[in-house]
Amino acid sequence: MRRLVLRWLIAAIPLVLGVSVLTFVLASLVPGDAARTILGVNANPQQYAALRDQLRLNDPLWTQYGHWLGRALHGDLGLSIQSADPVGHELKGRLAVTLSLVAGATLVAAVLGVGLGVASALRGGILGRCVDTLSLLGLAVPSYWLGLVLVTLLAVKAPIFPATGYVPFGQSPVQWLESLVLPVITLGLGGSAPIAKQMRDGVLGELDRDYVLVLRARGIAERSIIFKHVLRNAATPVASVLGLVIIGLFGGAVLAETVFVLPGLGGLAVTATSGHDIPVLQGIAVVFTLLVVGVNLIVELGYAALNPKVRT
């Protein structure tokens, strides 16, 4: 296990560097710059030139990245061009929102996906076809459209949950939960589709294995066979699918935070992109990359726990 963790940590170093370089280059290629965004179109050329020089936008691209990387290696992600606040402070205030959203959506996707997959595999028939249909719909229906439908049904026509906004957990746990229900369901329903499909196929495949016939011949109870043997073996590929789903949820969180007006990293990324705030974009890219590495590491550890061959 230690070698596995060390290997992932070493692999994360070039990944984070590569993502930071790519983000810096792509953000620099976007038309316009931060100086023009701050001053507006009516600023005179002298003010514009002075601000560009102050923000070091006249330096070569590799020099700008080198300055950012040198500070980042010392734990300083720089200052936001738009707000002049430390990037780390802005990210810290919004990270909890995004993590709450993704964690809740992961829980919904895992519980609903595994439940539907197991039920359809054991029951079959109409329920199995419903899972196939749900899988196709989950992959085809855009999350923002589903979010708008949920807002219309559960916030406008039946005002059960708030349509937009976020309440911190420390302010009111109940209101915090209510503000996350709709966005969590929006992301979780789509994420449950591939999990349900994989779980159903995995259980059906395990039920056809020879060891199941042997256990049944020995008189082992069917419930014991399902829960102690079949589900454990079928959960191994589901763990890999769950990791991909979680990573996809981070991308879907950008749209969900926009639709439900949540102050998370996704909304901050949209604002930073429109304002050419490269330090903030760099910080968001690094944080998301580290989160993806962490998710993959957790999935790998879970895979090793389920499959003894991985540990050896």
Side-chain angles (χ1 to χ4, degrees):
M1 288 293 185
R2 292 181 179 179
R3 294 177 58 186
L4 180 63
V5 174
L6 182 61
R7 184 184 67 187
W8 273 97
L9 293 178
I10 294 176
I13 297 175
L15 177 62
V16 173
L17 288 176
V19 170
S20 65
V21 171
L22 184 61
T23 304
F24 195 90
V25 172
L26 293 178
S28 301
L29 294 178
V30 175
D33 57 33
R36 181 63 65 189
T37 302
I38 294 173
L39 295 176
V41 296
N42 296 324
N44 59 60
Q46 292 78 14
Q47 291 176 322
Y48 176 68
L51 185 57
R52 279 187 59 89
D53 186 65
Q54 178 183 348
L55 297 176
R56 310 189 72 164
L57 298 179
N58 294 320
D59 294 346
L61 193 61
W62 63 270
T63 303
Q64 297 180 42
Y65 177 78
H67 286 301
W68 175 87
L69 182 60
R71 295 192 304 266
L73 292 177
H74 292 84
D76 181 13
L77 296 177
L79 299 177
S80 170
I81 295 177
Q82 292 180 304
S83 64
D85 293 330
V87 173
H89 178 72
E90 291 199 4
L91 298 182
K92 182 180 179 181
R94 293 173 175 261
L95 180 60
V97 180
T98 300
L99 290 180
S100 299
L101 177 59
V102 173
T106 301
L107 180 62
V108 171
V111 173
L112 185 60
V114 171
L116 287 176
V118 173
S120 64
L122 299 180
R123 299 291 182 179
I126 297 177
L127 187 56
R129 290 190 290 270
C130 289
V131 170
D132 291 335
T133 304
L134 176 64
S135 301
L136 294 175
L137 289 177
L139 297 174
V141 174
S143 58
Y144 68 87
W145 180 86
L146 180 59
L148 294 176
V149 171
L150 291 177
V151 168
T152 303
L153 296 178
L154 300 179
V156 178
K157 292 185 177 180
I160 302 175
F161 302 105
T164 59
Y166 176 80
V167 177
F169 181 85
Q171 179 177 335
S172 174
V174 175
Q175 293 182 359
W176 168 80
L177 183 60
E178 291 177 346
S179 64
L180 287 176
V181 168
L182 294 184
V184 162
I185 293 177
T186 299
L187 291 180
L189 287 180
S192 66
I195 296 176
K197 178 66 175 176
Q198 181 61 54
M199 194 69 195
R200 173 175 174 266
D201 294 343
V203 171
L204 289 176
E206 292 298 321
L207 289 175
D208 290 336
R209 301 285 295 272
D210 292 338
Y211 76 88
V212 175
L213 297 178
V214 173
L215 291 174
R216 287 172 175 169
R218 290 181 177 179
I220 305 298
E222 188 71 16
R223 176 174 297 181
S224 178
I225 295 175
I226 296 296
F227 287 97
K228 289 186 178 181
H229 302 279
V230 172
L231 292 185
R232 180 182 177 87
N233 294 328
T236 303
V238 174
S240 300
V241 174
L242 180 60
L244 297 176
V245 168
I246 296 175
I247 294 173
L249 292 178
F250 280 110
V254 177
L255 292 175
E257 291 172 3
T258 303
V259 172
F260 294 99
V261 196
L262 300 178
L265 292 178
L268 182 61
V270 174
T271 304
T273 302
S274 61
H276 301 89
D277 199 338
I278 294 181
V280 172
L281 286 175
Q282 287 288 98
I284 294 173
V286 170
V287 169
F288 271 127
T289 304
L290 293 176
L291 290 175
V292 169
V293 171
V295 168
N296 283 325
L297 177 59
I298 293 174
V299 170
E300 190 75 14
L301 294 175
Y303 194 86
L306 293 171
N307 190 351
K309 295 181 180 179
V310 177
R311 295 195 296 270
T312 58

